[in-house]
Amino acid sequence: QVQLKESGGGSVQTGDSLRLSCAVSGSLSSNYYMGWFRQAPGKEREGVGGIRYVDGRTDYADSVVGRFTISQDNAKNTLYLQMSSLKPEDTGMYYCAAGPLWMTPIEALAVASYKNWGQGTQVTVSS
């Protein structure tokens, strides 16, 4: 089982960029599909995107395509979420999660697919 810890959240303005990190205890390598999720106040947690390092496949929610990029540095055991052109609706608690290696794109964006979660980092985007 891996342990995950997010960092890099903060308060920014509309249009700004922010990079979140997720430090992973244990090896990322070929063991997991790594996902990013977010939860706005009063709303359900939703998938943002994810990455499968073994073949470089990435998946993104429609709402973040072209604005968010997920990457992974195995040497540092760290997952990243680069966010640009941020909007107020991107506000929320952001979580990283580790799930089964082989998932379909739909499964990869589903909360129920993951058992290992970090504690989250808050992102607030003001207009």
Side-chain angles (χ1 to χ4, degrees), residues 76-96:
K76 297 181 178 180
N77 279 350
T78 302
L79 177 73
Y80 300 102
L81 176 64
Q82 178 67 50
M83 305 183 291
S84 61
S85 301
L86 283 163
K87 307 174 182 179
E89 50 264 44
D90 294 318
T91 293
M93 187 71 77
Y94 281 70
Y95 302 89
C96 62

Side-chain angles (χ1 to χ4, degrees), residues 57 59 103-111 113-114:
R57 192 191 97 190
D59 302 290
M103 292 193 286
T104 67
I106 292 177
E107 292 170 333
L109 294 178
V111 171
S113 298
Y114 297 79

Side-chain angles (χ1 to χ4, degrees), residues 13-59:
Q13 301 288 322
T14 297
D16 284 350
S17 297
L18 199 61
R19 188 178 77 162
L20 306 183
S21 299
C22 173
V24 183
S25 66
S27 177
L28 280 175
S29 66
S30 304
N31 297 329
Y32 299 99
Y33 184 102
M34 300 301 298
W36 281 101
F37 291 78
R38 66 186 180 188
Q39 188 166 18
K43 295 188 177 181
E44 294 186 353
R45 192 171 300 187
E46 64 175 1
V48 173
I51 185 169
R52 187 170 65 199
Y53 185 79
V54 290
D55 60 3
R57 192 191 97 190
T58 53
D59 302 290

